[in-house]
Amino acid sequence: MKRILTFFAFPVQESAPEARVRVLSNGQERLGANICLAIDKVDYFVPLDLAPWAGETILLDVKMSQGRSVRRDPADDVCWTEMNTAPVFDRSNKENNYRPVYHFSPDWGWMNDPNGMVWHDGLWHLFFQYNPYGSFWGNMTWGHAVSKDLVRWEQWDNAIVPDALGDIFSGSAIVDKENVAGFGRDAIIAMYTSDGINQTQSIAWSNDGGRTFHKYAGNPVIVPENTPDFRDPKLFWDAQSRQWKVVLAAGQEVQFYSSDNLKDWTYDSSFGLSYGNHNGVWECPDLIQLPFEGKDKWVLLLNINPGGPFGGSATQYFVGNYDGKTFKCDDPATVTRWMDYGKDHYAAVTWSNAPEGRTVALAWMSNWQYANSVPTQQFRSANSVPRDLSLVRKGKEVILKSTPSRELETLRGTPLRFTLSSAPAELSEQPMKAYELLIRFQLPKKEDLTFVLSNEAGEQVVFFYSAEEGTFSMDRRGSGIVKFSKSFAAVTSAPTRVGGKMELRLLVDSASIEAFGEDFSMTNLVFPSAPYNQLKLYGSVKADVTLYPLAK
Ligand code: FRU
């Protein structure tokens, strides 16, 4: 019987220096990747899908740098004996503790920014910055997953892979309903950054619902003028001018471009040099239109790293107006607004073409300070839950509110309702990794309140309302594994109204807690050695708690 070997499995040792692996066919390079091929121990395997070369003879060319062989003969490396081929690649979960239950994470490999989010023909498409050849940043490729309901995801084959123009950095996608680009009606068109000698913007299209993408022969379509950090194009439709627009990060500002055909782009304007926070690199912008008190407003999302309020990565935003060419901010230049007050909310952008006029955002749930060293191995990083965005009034201000998307409620199991006072409450008999807590209480003015979530190992996350400061804080310093980075143990705080009728919503998963109040969201990773199973309240009030187990 002839065995069909579709996958080549490379053994990876994360601490080994990278080797350069190339697939050659007829002397031509068809694929190149940097892989930490195992030297003396195998951490895990990564797959090379051989299907694209079915029927061809291919040669694998492996180049090892000197650094790999100083102590020994590279021929002794275990990678040579451990490499193997198989009909299927084993993607089953091997991450016992920290694989999220209801947040998207790739089956294997590294993930950062959500990319190219677009709703098309009943499916929410999520592309993402992906390293399919190791659970750390590199080989940037657009991974791909789809969902019918924003919460149950299926990972598809990689969508866009590196080429001669460079690695495939972040970008966006739209549905070309009127076929202005000429790639076909309803084609999905992606624009991404080609990270080569320069950062330039390229496009690719799909006529089969995102299964395969074709790169445009005229790439790149936007090139920088002496701007080193020139990336992360976000396409959006401007109904007024009936044109496609792009906003991208360019050094310490964003630039806007217009196009009639998605291929030829004209520079319109720049925004931001003196606005908001500049203690880092501006990345991943998005311009969205949201209704507010009967009018349309525009909100510019802007991710910055470092420079976040608690160190490292964070998302700021500017509320204002866009006239089809320029964005004007309503706030004075000195005002900085944060979209989320945790440490693990980055590269947040929104879905294009979302039904019902919704504006749904998704963030990468990590921070460049430690993303490469979080204590997982088969995969690294998950996304936040999807969140519907709206503008709301807070006193004299207009703020951007993130609300967990309603689809999350389909994960809820039978609720448990109880009143919490000074006695601690056990949340479940069996360890429960994924659950939601809705905590309602009436807090007298000037009174503080503390909730503590803890496990049998004494690890705990402390949630604290300070009446004097007018803040809600989350303290993860004793939350479990924290020592993998000096920057991980932290207390994060959000300004909020404290006193009166209040509600706190906590979305807990195996390695994260997302807190939502009436005027803030706070997203933080946690790595407890066992699920948090006890809730305690310190304060004079009683709280009405609803606990929903969450499962897919
Ligand atoms: C943000 C970012 C983007 C870039 C991508 C590379 O996290 O640095 O600016 O396109 O990641 O992976």
Side-chain angles (χ1 to χ4, degrees), residues 112-113 129 137 140 169-170 193 231-232 283-284 346-347 364 368:
N112 57 294
D113 316 357
Q129 286 289 282
W137 189 85
M140 287 338 283
F169 272 21
S170 289
T193 300
R231 58 176 180 262
D232 309 339
E283 301 182 318
C284 301
Y346 196 57
W364 173 47
W368 281 115

Side-chain angles (χ1 to χ4, degrees), residues 110-115 129-130 137-138 140-142 168-171 193 195 199 229-233 249 281-285 303 305 313 346-347 364 368:
W110 160 273
M111 174 176 79
N112 57 294
D113 316 357
N115 290 156
Q129 286 289 282
Y130 190 38
W137 189 85
M140 287 338 283
T141 296
W142 272 28
I168 314 298
F169 272 21
S170 289
T193 300
D195 181 59
Q199 294 189 330
D229 291 308
F230 186 73
R231 58 176 180 262
D232 309 339
V281 182
W282 277 29
E283 301 182 318
C284 301
N303 293 278
N305 176 67
S313 321
Y346 196 57
W364 173 47
W368 281 115

Side-chain angles (χ1 to χ4, degrees), residues 39-289:
I39 294 179
D40 49 28
K41 124 177 188 286
V42 181
D43 291 331
Y44 49 82
F45 287 86
V46 293
L48 172 69
D49 184 358
L50 299 173
W53 305 289
E56 290 177 47
T57 303
I58 56 165
L59 188 73
L60 279 183
D61 174 61
V62 181
K63 279 206 172 63
M64 301 207 165
S65 62
Q66 270 258 288
R68 288 179 57 95
S69 56
V70 278
R71 283 167 291 124
R72 51 191 289 170
D73 183 347
D76 293 339
D77 290 353
V78 299
C79 60
W80 307 118
T81 45
E82 292 288 328
M83 271 182 199
N84 64 75
T85 48
V88 285
F89 175 69
D90 176 13
R91 338 170 134 209
S92 61
N93 181 38
K94 293 171 192 73
E95 210 54 76
N96 289 331
N97 289 341
Y98 304 126
R99 172 71 72 178
V101 174
Y102 60 94
H103 290 81
F104 174 74
S105 62
D107 291 344
W108 78 94
W110 160 273
M111 174 176 79
N112 57 294
D113 316 357
N115 290 156
M117 286 138 64
V118 64
W119 187 91
H120 179 264
D121 205 12
L123 286 181
W124 299 87
H125 288 264
L126 164 65
F127 301 88
F128 47 90
Q129 286 289 282
Y130 190 38
N131 184 2
Y133 305 111
S135 300
F136 38 83
W137 189 85
N139 302 308
M140 287 338 283
T141 296
W142 272 28
H144 190 187
V146 295
S147 172
K148 286 190 184 133
D149 63 3
L150 284 170
V151 286
R152 294 163 183 90
W153 293 96
E154 184 193 337
Q155 190 172 344
W156 280 8
D157 287 345
N158 296 334
I160 310 180
V161 300
D163 56 34
L165 289 175
D167 281 354
I168 314 298
F169 272 21
S170 289
S172 53
I174 54 96
V175 179
D176 185 8
K177 295 179 186 164
E178 295 176 18
N179 193 19
V180 300
F183 298 136
R185 191 163 291 278
D186 285 335
I188 297 180
I189 301 187
M191 187 187 277
Y192 55 89
T193 300
S194 292
D195 181 59
I197 299 166
N198 282 328
Q199 294 189 330
T200 58
Q201 319 313 318
S202 297
I203 56 174
W205 81 93
S206 169
N207 285 324
D208 59 0
R211 275 177 184 80
T212 47
F213 275 85
H214 312 276
K215 288 170 181 154
Y216 173 51
N219 282 338
V221 294
I222 306 178
V223 295
E225 281 180 24
N226 295 326
T227 314
D229 291 308
F230 186 73
R231 58 176 180 262
D232 309 339
K234 180 70 164 73
L235 291 161
F236 62 98
W237 175 250
D238 177 45
Q240 246 181 317
S241 59
R242 298 199 47 76
Q243 272 187 320
W244 286 105
K245 309 284 182 182
V246 124
V247 57
L248 52 79
Q252 287 294 307
E253 57 182 13
V254 296
Q255 293 185 351
F256 292 95
Y257 292 77
S258 296
S259 176
D260 292 317
N261 60 10
L262 290 154
K263 297 168 179 161
D264 303 303
W265 292 90
T266 313
Y267 168 81
D268 286 336
S269 67
S270 300
F271 168 83
L273 262 196
S274 56
Y275 278 81
N277 184 302
H278 285 274
N279 297 330
V281 182
W282 277 29
E283 301 182 318
C284 301
D286 191 358
L287 190 72
I288 55 184
Q289 203 172 6

